[in-house]
Amino acid sequence: MEKFEKLTSVAAPLPIANVDTDMIIPARYLKTIKRTGLGEGLFANMRFKEDGSDNEEFVLNQPAYKDARILVAGNNFGCGSSREHAPWALMDYGIKCVISTDFADIFYNNSFKNGMLLIKVGPEELDLLMDDAGRGANATVTVDLEAQEITGPDGGVIKFEIDSFKKHCLLNGLDDIGLTMEKEDKIASFEESHKAAQPWL
Amino acid sequence: MSAPKTLFDKIWDAHLIDESDDGTCLIFIDRHIVHEVTSPQAFEGLRTAGRKVRRPDLTLAVPDHNVPTSDRAAGIDDEESRIQVETLDKNCQDFGLRIFGMDDIRQGICHVIGPEQGFTLPGTTLICGDSHTATHGAFGSLSFGVGTSEVEHVLATQTMIQRKSKNMRVTVDGELPLGVTAKDMILAIIGEIGTAGGTGCVIEFAGEAIRSLSMEGRMTVCNMTIEGGARAGLIAPDETTFEYLKGRPMAPKGGAWEIAAGYWKTLKSDEGAKYDIEVTLKAEDIVPQVTWGTSPEDVVPITGAVPDPADESDEARRNKMERSLEYMGLEPGIAMRDVKIDRMFIGSCTNSRIEDLRAAAEVAQKAIDKGRKVADHVDAMVVPGSGLVKAQAEEEGLDRIFIDAGFDWREPGCSMCLAMNADKLTPGERCASTSNRNFEGRQGPGGRTHLVSPAMAAAAAIAGHLTDIRDLD
């Protein structure tokens, strides 16, 4: 997994609450057996018109946000389906960090397992960042995971909280299957006592 | 004496392998269901790393999202869909996993077949790469919907890394009025708590109205727990649960059944157990529900009207409401009962079980008795949840009732719940659907979804517009 340490980028505003994973990537793009190339379907129903051409009104199609790698979104981002294609699509498109007041649980876990940072901030801080993001190309935001800080275009700093295990894995690009396999002895001994307690399983 | 525990605490504790100082836990997973959409990249990951499936005996695979619901003799037309289904077959062969293939009568929607086979059992931990895994909580199985990385993690290690969720309890007291179903109950609950109301929580459903539900009804309630944002839903197992499970092919038999059932009877929250969040509803207050917008929380009683965004003070919510109404092609203030539909879908892991089909068929039979049929302008499809549900429905003659009343009777699968196969809405089409999500584009790009119960869906198909099932009698 790719490491995440620090990121400076224009931030794209998406001030919609409850952006669901069907919006992030519609089901017709899930018919793949690969993890790559999903950026094509990112926000497809909003990004493209019915004839397939770009919808100029959608934030990521606006020239100011062409290179945005940070998304500032409304509450409960990533709700709905458990499809990991949602973080794959965001990452493949180039979005490495999403900031919101809250995220749906499954999407939150899926994102961290792919090296994407999700940051939860308070409602007032989100309003501030949404305004910053609205200023377009000249308003870059810096996210520093080690320091747990977001620095806005005017130098204002917002501190954020993050689970220490998730932070550790992201900073070091760790694959958690490998970490779990180091606990094989514990798993095997649990398995044995569990089998004794519930032999019908 | 130790502190009183909730049902969730008990199952969690019985599966905890390791807990780090920072609260990160490693838990054992008893049951894993795999389908074709979220698993190919997980198997590929195993191959790349040279890893095996740790416990093939605890895994069951089935293709469901992509399978056609029309005649299957010709296979799958769509190349990408076909490749996904074939890839699942090959992965199961390579890694030694049980699979109910497309031609197996046991094939069906993963959340229908697990319980149907007795693979889902009380007190177990269960995962599947699908958010509606919450369904299995109806059996008192702690069931998590996960993404592909976690599917791979469970295949490789039979464990899952997780922090313990909070305990939330939703109690529905009293008795549901006539014509009001489990679907209406869960939609009303989501309307009450909101689509993020359960974030970070495992919800235990309790109360007389929940206890009175059949297993099918309980599965409908738990299925949509994810639509309330919760990690999982749980209902304590009881005689209804045991009666459903006894004799199922994969359920314990003979002496093992007796021992298992003895343990399962201990699986209920202790008196005085603490919950972080409590919500209580009165069953008597619930009327048939219908969604008006593009989130399952956008729900109103069928007797109600489309709400006005002008009345919403929160800006982000107002934006979402305006966006929803524009997408849905609805004006504030319109009575829900006046909303005309083009399509009707009965099916999905929420409502495709035998009891759901019986409820819809009863409405269809009443229509036939009155000389009525599905409205001319409505295309209505009924998709059973599994091959076995289909067979049972046909044995009961439900298929004949549907066909005689003008409904289309199809093969099992996920179908138009998420439009991955050929069943989908065209832009602007409006559908009364028994599925679980009314998201933008969920049933096809530009399609408009109104979530309802099976009886309400059938009634809408016949009336040609959304209608109150209670008006039929």
Side-chain angles (χ1 to χ4, degrees):
Chain A
M1 185 175 93
E2 217 177 299
K3 287 181 187 179
F4 187 108
E5 291 165 318
K6 208 169 178 176
L7 174 65
T8 298
S9 160
V10 165
L14 193 64
I16 306 172
N18 301 328
V19 170
D20 58 69
T21 53
D22 276 80
M23 261 163 139
I24 299 174
I25 184 157
R28 62 185 181 280
Y29 291 95
L30 311 187
K31 297 182 186 186
T32 173
I33 56 172
K34 297 187 173 16
R35 284 172 201 254
T36 49
L38 284 147
E40 197 186 316
L42 181 72
F43 295 121
N45 291 347
M46 296 198 268
R47 227 170 100 205
F48 307 115
K49 294 183 189 158
E50 255 175 62
D51 64 6
S53 64
D54 282 1
N55 171 13
E56 310 292 339
E57 281 175 23
F58 185 64
V59 63
L60 295 177
N61 288 334
Q62 294 166 16
Y65 299 106
K66 278 284 181 211
D67 299 317
R69 298 176 73 196
I70 299 171
L71 200 62
V72 182
N75 189 49
N76 195 33
F77 186 84
C79 61
S81 157
S82 68
R83 59 189 68 165
E84 201 157 314
H85 309 67
W88 293 339
L90 285 160
M91 291 285 284
D92 191 58
Y93 181 86
I95 305 289
K96 310 284 185 202
C97 173
V98 186
I99 304 171
S100 178
T101 38
D102 208 357
F103 299 90
D105 287 329
I106 305 177
F107 175 78
Y108 190 74
N109 281 327
N110 286 345
S111 297
F112 278 91
K113 289 183 190 297
N114 290 282
M116 182 157 76
L117 174 63
L118 303 188
I119 302 176
K120 296 181 196 178
V121 296
E124 283 161 22
E125 293 164 331
L126 189 77
D127 287 347
L128 208 66
L129 288 164
M130 203 64 90
D131 287 345
D132 285 343
R135 286 158 56 187
N138 298 320
T140 59
V141 170
T142 297
V143 170
D144 184 338
L145 176 56
E146 179 62 57
Q148 297 181 208
E149 283 176 359
I150 306 167
T151 308
D154 303 324
V157 171
I158 295 169
K159 298 284 274 181
F160 62 87
E161 294 298 315
I162 185 167
D163 175 301
S164 55
F165 178 70
K166 286 195 164 63
K167 178 179 175 180
H168 174 72
C169 288
L170 216 53
L171 280 174
N172 298 289
L174 295 177
D175 155 20
D176 54 41
I177 297 182
L179 291 177
T180 299
M181 284 182 136
E182 288 171 12
K183 296 184 177 170
E184 173 56 29
D185 287 353
K186 282 186 179 173
I187 299 171
S189 96
F190 175 89
E191 203 169 21
E192 206 171 306
S193 58
H194 190 52
K195 180 90 197 157
Q198 297 185 43
W200 57 87
L201 292 180
Chain B
M1 213 184 119
S2 56
K5 286 181 177 182
T6 64
L7 172 59
F8 167 48
D9 296 336
K10 289 182 183 182
I11 303 175
W12 179 268
D13 290 350
H15 291 84
L16 185 63
I17 300 169
D18 191 38
E19 182 167 358
S20 307
D21 295 338
D22 70 352
T24 306
C25 297
L26 188 67
I27 62 166
F28 191 77
I29 301 301
D30 295 314
R31 296 284 185 263
H32 186 182
I33 305 179
V34 172
H35 66 78
E36 80 278 17
V37 181
T38 57
S39 69
Q41 297 87 348
F43 286 111
E44 201 47 46
L46 292 182
R47 276 198 193 88
T48 308
R51 290 169 177 149
K52 293 188 298 193
V53 174
R54 193 174 194 283
R55 291 290 302 273
D57 59 317
L58 301 183
T59 307
L60 178 63
V62 69
D64 57 2
H65 285 59
N66 277 285
V67 299
T69 58
S70 49
D71 181 19
R72 289 182 182 168
I76 305 177
D77 262 354
D78 182 272
E79 191 188 355
E80 289 176 303
S81 290
R82 190 175 65 245
I83 290 173
Q84 265 192 345
V85 171
E86 288 171 357
T87 303
L88 181 67
D89 271 330
K90 179 167 189 327
N91 284 330
C92 289
Q93 209 165 31
D94 290 356
F95 289 91
L97 306 179
R98 274 176 295 186
I99 178 168
F100 295 159
M102 211 168 79
D103 301 325
D104 193 314
I105 191 168
R106 298 169 297 179
Q107 181 271 341
I109 305 173
C110 54
H111 309 308
V112 173
I113 69 153
E116 192 172 76
Q117 292 297 317
F119 184 68
T120 306
L121 293 173
T124 54
T125 47
L126 182 152
I127 74 123
C128 173
D130 189 283
S131 60
H132 291 108
T133 307
T135 311
H136 307 264
F139 293 81
S141 163
L142 182 59
S143 302
F144 298 113
V146 298
T148 302
S149 293
E150 284 182 315
V151 167
E152 185 181 341
H153 194 279
V154 173
L155 287 170
T157 69
Q158 207 58 40
T159 68
M160 188 175 169
I161 298 172
Q162 212 187 98
R163 277 175 175 276
K164 193 178 174 198
S165 303
K166 287 186 283 190
N167 273 291
M168 177 167 174
R169 180 164 62 183
V170 174
T171 306
V172 189
D173 288 325
E175 210 177 312
L176 282 178
L178 204 68
V180 181
T181 68
K183 181 66 165 283
D184 303 302
M185 196 193 294
I186 187 63
L187 284 171
I189 291 169
I190 295 162
E192 174 81 21
I193 68 173
T195 187
T199 302
C201 299
V202 166
I203 299 180
E204 179 179 345
F205 294 97
E208 190 194 342
I210 297 284
R211 295 251 72 84
S212 309
L213 291 175
S214 65
M215 287 318 295
E216 283 86 349
R218 293 180 191 186
M219 284 189 258
T220 300
V221 169
C222 286
N223 172 274
M224 288 190 70
T225 312
I226 183 68
E227 265 55 71
R231 218 54 195 89
L234 275 176
I235 295 174
D238 59 12
E239 287 307 321
T240 307
T241 322
F242 308 147
E243 200 177 308
Y244 177 98
L245 283 174
K246 200 162 191 179
R248 301 263 164 192
M250 296 182 188
K253 309 263 179 325
W257 170 269
E258 297 305 326
I259 300 167
Y263 169 67
W264 296 340
K265 284 175 187 160
T266 69
L267 294 173
K268 54 186 167 209
S269 293
D270 295 330
E271 197 72 40
K274 294 261 186 305
Y275 294 86
D276 302 288
I277 305 171
E278 288 248 32
V279 175
T280 303
L281 277 78
K282 281 199 188 107
E284 288 84 358
D285 296 343
I286 303 175
V287 295
Q289 304 280 305
V290 56
T291 59
W292 55 266
T294 57
S295 166
E297 70 182 13
D298 298 341
V299 66
V300 286
I302 183 65
T303 49
V306 177
D308 192 341
D311 299 337
E312 174 61 58
S313 54
D314 181 79
E315 192 190 340
R317 290 177 65 88
R318 192 169 57 245
N319 287 346
K320 179 73 163 67
M321 280 176 86
E322 282 167 353
R323 188 188 165 83
S324 293
L325 290 185
E326 192 188 331
Y327 181 87
M328 293 297 290
L330 292 173
E331 297 293 328
I334 294 174
M336 291 312 296
R337 278 183 287 201
D338 291 341
V339 175
K340 196 175 160 189
I341 61 161
D342 311 299
R343 305 278 296 270
M344 185 229 67
F345 172 61
I346 291 175
S348 87
C349 57
T350 313
N351 282 126
S352 63
R353 298 178 182 83
I354 191 68
E355 192 179 274
D356 302 318
L357 301 185
R358 285 179 192 142
E362 195 184 320
V363 174
Q365 182 62 55
K366 275 184 195 160
I368 294 170
D369 294 346
K370 289 180 188 161
R372 299 186 64 185
K373 291 180 84 157
V374 168
D376 285 342
H377 67 276
V378 175
D379 174 89
M381 65 197 301
V382 184
V383 181
S386 72
L388 290 169
V389 168
K390 181 170 187 262
Q392 187 177 348
E394 287 173 354
E395 201 180 293
E396 295 179 16
L398 306 186
D399 58 325
R400 287 310 328 162
I401 299 173
F402 283 125
I403 293 164
D404 291 348
F407 293 81
D408 189 9
W409 177 246
R410 302 179 76 91
E411 299 294 325
C414 297
S415 182
M416 206 161 70
C417 172
L418 85 167
M420 268 195 87
N421 71 352
D423 310 336
K424 55 188 73 167
L425 299 180
T426 56
E429 273 189 324
R430 189 179 297 284
C431 180
S433 177
T434 67
S435 54
N436 39 58
R437 290 189 174 133
N438 49 345
F439 295 159
E440 289 178 24
R442 172 78 178 183
Q443 295 193 292
R448 294 160 170 167
T449 306
H450 294 276
L451 302 176
V452 288
S453 74
M456 287 276 285
I462 289 154
H465 54 85
L466 296 173
T467 187
D468 190 338
I469 178 72
R470 299 169 304 178
D471 293 345
L472 285 193
D473 296 304

